[in-house]
Structure formats: C-alpha cells, structure tokens
Amino acid sequence: MNECVLCKEIITNPVCIECIEREIEAWLYEVKPELIEELKTKTTEISVDTGETNCILCHDSMSICTYCYTSHIFEWLKTRVPELIREFRKFFDFNYFF
Ligand SMILES: [Zn+2]
Ligand SMILES: [Zn+2]
C-alpha cells in the first residue's frame, strides 16, 4: 500500500483517476455532454502516471486517491454547473467506491 501524493493518506481503495474519469464521463454524457472535454483537461491537471499502487480495475500504476480526484472535479463542477452538484455527490461521493 502506498500513500496519495496529494493528501498523504494511505490509498486503501486503489481505483485510478482514469477509471473514475470514465464513470464521470458516462454520467456527464447523460446530463451535460458539453463538459466532457473540460473534464479531460481537469483530469490531466492532477494526473500523475507513476506510483507503486496499482488500480484494482485496470492495473495501471497510480498515486492519487479517489478522494483527492473527486474533490478536484467537485470544485470544478461547483463553478460550472452548480445545479448538478447534488447529483454528482450522490454518484461520486468517495464512499461510492468503498
Ligand atoms: Zn489523496
Ligand atoms: Zn484504473
């Protein structure tokens, strides 16, 4: 087990940001497809390709926890589509992955 490079917490539920991004992208496709390109830019902003933890879904190495990534996206969505924040929290609250 490794720690997240951002919050320094041990990554207990290793799902990489690309895998979460796919889920968020599928959701945005339903509710706000015009934001998908921007979502990708936002993901790239905090994407780190290295790490000694491997994603349980795609097995890529990763070093940012689900909480830091979803918070990053949450802060962005809050400014872009405040009306969708409730729904986002329902689906992508980090508890979703536990
Ligand atoms: Zn973190
Ligand atoms: Zn993954």
Side-chain angles (χ1 to χ4, degrees), residues 75-92:
E75 291 303 319
W76 161 64
L77 280 176
K78 218 162 60 179
T79 63
R80 303 290 279 113
V81 281
E83 71 274 19
L84 290 176
I85 282 303
R86 272 177 80 97
E87 202 177 331
F88 177 80
R89 290 197 74 130
K90 205 166 68 189
F91 287 121
F92 301 107

Side-chain angles (χ1 to χ4, degrees), residues 1 3 18 20 33-35 54 58 76 80-81 92 97:
M1 284 294 176
E3 54 185 42
E18 283 83 8
I20 305 169
E34 63 268 36
L35 287 183
N54 289 92
C58 70
W76 161 64
R80 303 290 279 113
V81 281
F92 301 107
F97 291 98

Side-chain angles (χ1 to χ4, degrees), residues 4 6-7 65 68:
C4 168
L6 296 177
C7 66
C65 72
C68 288

